[in-house]
Amino acid sequence: MLTSLPTLARWSRAIAALAGLTLLAGCDYNFWRMDGHQSTIVVDGPVARDQLHVFYVTCWVTLVIFILVGGVLAYATVKFKARSEADEHAEPPPQGHGNPLVELGLIGGSVLALVVIAIPTLNAIWTTHDVPEAQRANAYEITATGYQWWFRFEYASEQASVDANIKMPLVTGNELVIPAGRPVRIHLRTVDVIHSLWVPKLAGKVDMIPNRANFLWLQADKPGYFWGQCAEYCGDSHAVMRFRVIALGPREFNDWLDQQLQTARTVAPAPDSNRARPQFAALRSFRQNETGITAKFDVNPLEAWREKQAPEKDEDPALVAQGRALFSSKACITCHTVRGHVGAGISGPDLTHFGSRTMLAAGLLENNREQLRRWIKDPGAVKPGNKMAKGYVDNKIVISTEEEVALAAYLESLK
Ligand code: CUA
């Protein structure tokens, strides 16, 4: 019994350390609410809510067990503590081994605890496995494919224009736009290794496995902007294989679809297009953290996303035209598709409406001029091991500062 005292002391120290850490984290409101971009505690959809329910039931049951066992341990530790020299050599107190009442009670208690956990667990497995029967006809279907290290989203039911005669299913990259309040079934595929699709606030993770057709379903309660993350180790840049889910109301979702189904936007040359050379647009100043997210974008991302749908205010048509030419001559077209413009590569993300996305480099950087230039200049420095960096080396592509600015202007114009 005496040996449990140091154990108790160790526990107390651990709890004190945890409390200290909590204080260090400051009085952040979101910290205390356990909220954040990838919180599984403050959730926004029925699937995540069912999973959270199972988590809470398990937590409460284990808390009760902890209090009971810890209480008995503490009681025994104090009650049978050696208080004098004589106590230490005394006979042990009467032993209760083999008491049928206690043993049956413990077995019954354990079974009860398991049953209490099993009921909501089985229920959640049932409800989170697939869209509930009643809503199945209303489910929106999307196919998500994992690549090292980005996500491709295909809307098989939406036919997008390539030119006047040719259509292909709508494809986007790294930003999954879904209708809010409606179940979405996501078919999970991979072209290389195992990835896993995870949108913490909407649904738990399901793996994308080679040669295996998995799927998950999720639903957003209301319009919103959600963080997603690859949740299965998949190589160098696994930790920065991210994406976003944007949930929109029915009308806004339809407007978005209409916009996306169009071919890429072509910027008309300005009336004074014989201007000597394109002007370097003034660099916008912004507060930047290590991932390149502006404060405004952090505060209201859905509003920031909406703003991105409109053409940039300081667009320079001559610069855009120069960028478009470079997009072909620098071999970007071999990996990327820009429907309606030149470019039909499929090994990199579809860029037809790239300018309307809030993020680039698979949810790592904010899609603005500075970050875009940083990415174009040296993608390998941003995301180690990625194929674009390798393409630069293999094809001996070098991009000057001026070319970088023009390419960024072209990509930004693709709304
Ligand atoms: Cu893809 Cu980790």
Side-chain angles (χ1 to χ4, degrees), residues 131-164:
V131 182
E133 199 82 44
Q135 301 175 60
R136 213 161 279 179
N138 187 34
Y140 193 78
E141 311 271 339
I142 293 170
T143 301
T145 308
Y147 286 69
Q148 282 172 314
W149 292 277
W150 61 281
F151 291 93
R152 172 185 190 270
F153 300 111
E154 182 176 322
Y155 299 66
S157 57
E158 315 293 346
Q159 291 297 305
S161 307
V162 178
D163 62 26

Side-chain angles (χ1 to χ4, degrees), residues 285-298:
S285 62
F286 65 100
R287 205 194 68 173
Q288 183 186 336
N289 66 16
E290 76 281 4
T291 54
I293 307 289
T294 59
K296 178 198 80 179
F297 186 73
D298 232 7

Side-chain angles (χ1 to χ4, degrees), residues 28-344:
D28 187 343
Y29 175 64
N30 279 341
F31 179 84
W32 292 109
R33 280 179 74 223
M34 293 201 250
D35 197 5
H37 296 323
Q38 303 203 9
S39 172
T40 52
I41 303 292
V42 179
V43 296
D44 289 303
V47 177
R49 211 171 291 120
D50 280 348
Q51 290 163 338
L52 180 62
H53 178 63
V54 174
F55 171 76
Y56 274 142
V57 168
T58 313
C59 267
W60 286 117
V61 169
T62 46
L63 185 69
V64 168
I65 294 172
F66 175 77
I67 290 172
L68 286 177
V69 175
V72 171
L73 176 68
Y75 169 78
T77 307
V78 174
K79 171 134 172 83
F80 300 109
K81 181 172 179 276
R83 289 183 173 78
S84 66
E85 186 78 2
D87 273 358
E88 280 183 31
H89 304 290
E91 282 295 306
Q95 301 296 296
H97 181 76
N99 183 327
L101 203 64
V102 171
E103 298 211 342
L104 283 174
L106 287 175
I107 292 170
S110 308
V111 170
L112 182 71
L114 287 177
V115 168
V116 168
I117 292 174
I119 291 171
T121 303
L122 291 171
N123 185 48
I125 289 174
W126 191 259
T127 54
T128 59
H129 165 67
D130 199 356
V131 182
E133 199 82 44
Q135 301 175 60
R136 213 161 279 179
N138 187 34
Y140 193 78
E141 311 271 339
I142 293 170
T143 301
T145 308
Y147 286 69
Q148 282 172 314
W149 292 277
W150 61 281
F151 291 93
R152 172 185 190 270
F153 300 111
E154 182 176 322
Y155 299 66
S157 57
E158 315 293 346
Q159 291 297 305
S161 307
V162 178
D163 62 26
N165 306 312
I166 303 173
K167 290 193 182 289
M168 61 176 267
L170 173 64
V171 170
T172 68
N174 302 319
E175 285 198 356
L176 172 61
V177 179
I178 59 168
R182 187 172 163 187
V184 178
R185 195 195 271 115
I186 305 177
H187 301 272
L188 304 167
R189 305 285 184 270
T190 173
V191 295
D192 37 51
V193 299
I194 302 177
H195 302 274
S196 181
L197 190 103
W198 186 32
V199 194
K201 279 176 171 279
L202 298 183
K205 41 195 108 157
V206 175
D207 281 2
M208 306 165 126
I209 301 172
N211 299 319
R212 189 191 160 94
N214 268 356
F215 71 92
L216 63 76
W217 81 278
L218 50 77
Q219 183 175 321
D221 293 331
K222 51 184 191 305
Y225 186 96
F226 306 98
W227 271 247
Q229 164 77 50
C230 175
E232 176 69 41
Y233 179 70
C234 56
D236 296 21
S237 284
H238 153 73
V240 289
M241 180 170 170
R242 304 174 190 170
F243 64 105
R244 299 291 188 273
V245 175
I246 294 107
L248 302 174
R251 180 178 299 184
E252 201 177 8
F253 179 69
N254 279 336
D255 289 349
W256 175 82
L257 271 181
D258 286 345
Q259 173 64 23
Q260 294 287 312
L261 297 179
Q262 310 294 316
T263 52
R265 178 170 163 265
T266 298
V267 178
D272 60 341
S273 58
N274 52 358
R275 198 166 48 187
R277 60 193 305 272
Q279 302 295 303
F280 277 61
L283 298 182
R284 282 168 284 178
S285 62
F286 65 100
R287 205 194 68 173
Q288 183 186 336
N289 66 16
E290 76 281 4
T291 54
I293 307 289
T294 59
K296 178 198 80 179
F297 186 73
D298 232 7
V299 171
N300 193 342
L302 185 59
E303 223 23 74
W305 180 88
R306 287 185 177 123
E307 274 175 35
K308 286 298 280 182
Q309 307 308 303
E312 300 292 321
K313 289 184 188 72
D314 51 359
E315 198 168 63
D316 180 342
L319 197 59
V320 171
Q322 190 191 332
R324 186 171 167 175
L326 283 165
F327 193 73
S328 303
S329 64
K330 292 288 178 184
C332 312
I333 53 172
T334 52
C335 295
H336 297 285
T337 294
V338 180
R339 278 186 287 112
H341 293 184
V342 68

Side-chain angles (χ1 to χ4, degrees), residues 341-356:
H341 293 184
V342 68
I346 53 163
S347 54
D350 184 301
L351 300 179
T352 309
H353 296 282
F354 170 81
S356 63

